[in-house]
Amino acid sequence: MQRLILILFIACELCFYLLIAQTGIVEYFSSNIFLIAPLPIGGIIGTLLVSYIKIENTNKISIFLTLQLLMSFIYPHYNFLTLFILGIAVGSLAPLIINEIKKTSLVELGFALCISYVTGTFLFNYDVSQRGFIAITLTLIVLIASRFLPQNFVSKTSIDSKHSLFLMVLWVFLDSALFESLSRDISVSIWRDGFTLEIALFHIIGVVCALYFKIERNQKELFIITLFALSYLFYFLREGFILSLIYPFVISYYNVVILQTISKKDFKTITFYMVFIGWIASGAGLFVALENLILFVPIVLLIALIKIMTREYLPKNKEITYV
């Protein structure tokens, strides 16, 4: 029973971030960067400070979930202060949730992510101004579940998970820029064009492939960048159906890779990583979408591809003979 509770705990908080913090608030405030700025500012502060609070993690989780619940009751009618408080709550909870992922098996992590992605996909088109009950329900589930979490950590199969922070930030930036552009594009919005089932299915396939098909680190990084390149290509070509298969797959795939990488770190390192991955990279992607700069993103993709391929095919032997 505790294992099921852990799955719901992770899945519902991830869903809250997607439906409320990432899309609900941004859309409700018409993507006005100045109006929504208190949310990421609070998020960064909360993420940095949570590791310095000298109480048990279970108590931290309860405190910040209670704060999140209070802010959920006033959704979406936020002002500068309440957005800042919500940001602190969500920002503090992010590394705490990732720390709990250490307790999951591969199957449990897979179920949690699949539940989150599928639920988020089916609720994505729900009116952002009417998501208050969703915010309250998700937070209540997480808050109740937090009182019954298992204490033991699960030993996982060893994986090569030493991906650089730079690459993980790049993946989130590429995802955020495309996601924010897609969600605003009336000509090719895969979530509003009748591809819900395809998106949900390929989210699940992406999670399964990332968890159970093992490939070398460099090959995995090249695979992710290539999938992003294809996603951008089909976005520019306005091929909604193909995009609805490839893009959800790469979202799920790279997120599993990131979670497996940073969940192995100590708690302070997790908080440091989350500032860049969870807030700065996603904020940069939002800025690119709002300023209509997405046509320049393929240049970043090309540089990343060249860098990864160069590293992949460089000679492995460190001894170099000079003539």
Side-chain angles (χ1 to χ4, degrees):
M1 187 63 180
Q2 280 189 317
R3 313 313 301 182
L4 177 60
I5 289 172
L6 179 60
I7 290 170
L8 288 174
F9 173 80
I10 296 169
C12 289
E13 185 60 23
L14 291 177
C15 240
F16 180 94
Y17 180 79
L18 171 65
L19 294 172
I20 306 303
Q22 184 179 3
T23 59
I25 291 172
V26 173
E27 287 191 36
Y28 184 78
F29 286 95
S30 303
S31 302
N32 188 313
I33 292 179
F34 295 101
L35 291 179
I36 63 177
L39 179 68
I41 292 172
I44 292 172
I45 292 173
T47 301
L48 288 173
L49 291 182
V50 68
S51 63
Y52 293 97
I53 300 175
K54 302 303 180 182
I55 58 176
E56 294 292 328
N57 280 353
T58 52
N59 293 329
K60 294 179 188 178
I61 290 171
S62 297
I63 290 170
F64 290 113
L65 279 174
T66 301
L67 195 59
Q68 180 176 292
L69 180 61
L70 291 174
M71 293 300 101
S72 296
F73 279 108
I74 62 174
Y75 176 92
H77 307 292
Y78 296 115
N79 56 31
F80 182 94
L81 178 61
T82 50
L83 269 180
F84 180 74
I85 294 172
L86 179 62
I88 288 177
V90 174
S92 300
L93 285 166
L96 290 166
I97 298 295
I98 291 173
N99 198 56
E100 292 299 310
I101 289 175
K102 295 177 181 180
K103 300 176 182 177
T104 63
S105 65
L106 291 180
V107 172
E108 290 161 354
L109 177 58
F111 270 117
L113 291 174
C114 288
I115 291 170
S116 175
Y117 286 131
V118 171
T119 303
T121 298
F122 279 95
L123 293 178
F124 184 84
N125 289 328
Y126 202 88
D127 188 348
V128 295
S129 65
Q130 303 298 318
R131 292 183 186 179
F133 81 95
I134 296 177
I136 294 169
T137 302
L138 290 173
T139 305
L140 278 174
I141 293 173
V142 181
L143 183 58
I144 294 170
S146 69
R147 309 311 303 168
F148 304 97
L149 294 175
Q151 299 302 313
N152 58 306
F153 290 80
V154 175
S155 177
K156 299 183 180 71
T157 303
S158 177
I159 58 170
D160 185 4
S161 57
K162 297 178 181 179
H163 302 283
S164 70
L165 175 60
F166 171 79
L167 267 180
M168 292 188 288
V169 167
L170 175 63
W171 298 337
V172 175
F173 166 74
L174 293 172
D175 180 14
S176 179
L178 183 54
F179 177 86
E180 299 295 349
S181 298
L182 263 176
S183 62
R184 291 164 177 76
D185 196 325
I186 59 174
S187 64
V188 55
S189 176
I190 59 176
W191 295 278
R192 298 184 176 95
D193 289 346
F195 300 124
T196 300
L197 290 177
E198 289 88 347
I199 293 169
L201 175 61
F202 275 83
H203 269 309
I204 295 172
I205 294 173
V207 170
V208 173
C209 289
L211 287 173
Y212 295 105
F213 291 93
K214 310 302 180 186
I215 58 177
E216 295 295 324
R217 183 191 62 171
N218 283 356
Q219 294 173 346
K220 188 178 294 184
E221 293 169 355
L222 181 60
F223 182 54
I224 292 170
I225 290 295
T226 302
L227 288 175
F228 268 121
L230 289 173
S231 298
Y232 274 87
L233 173 64
F234 289 114
Y235 170 68
F236 292 134
L237 292 176
R238 296 295 190 262
E239 292 289 344
F241 174 71
I242 301 176
L243 186 61
S244 69
L245 309 182
I246 296 175
Y247 183 44
F249 179 95
V250 69
I251 291 174
S252 299
Y253 192 96
Y254 92 81
N255 272 302
V256 170
V257 174
I258 286 180
L259 288 174
Q260 287 185 319
T261 300
I262 63 178
S263 65
K264 290 181 174 291
K265 310 293 183 181
D266 63 87
F267 189 67
K268 282 193 175 181
T269 304
I270 290 174
T271 62
F272 175 77
Y273 274 44
M274 286 307 299
V275 168
F276 289 92
I277 295 172
W279 296 105
I280 295 177
S282 58
L286 175 61
F287 177 79
V288 165
L290 295 181
E291 297 300 320
N292 295 315
L293 299 173
I294 195 167
L295 287 173
F296 295 96
V297 176
I299 299 173
V300 178
L301 270 166
L302 180 61
I303 294 171
L305 273 170
I306 293 172
K307 180 177 176 61
I308 293 173
M309 291 182 71
T310 302
R311 187 178 64 187
E312 174 74 18
Y313 297 108
L314 278 175
K316 304 294 183 182
N317 191 353
K318 295 182 180 179
E319 296 182 8
I320 302 176
T321 302
Y322 294 90
V323 179

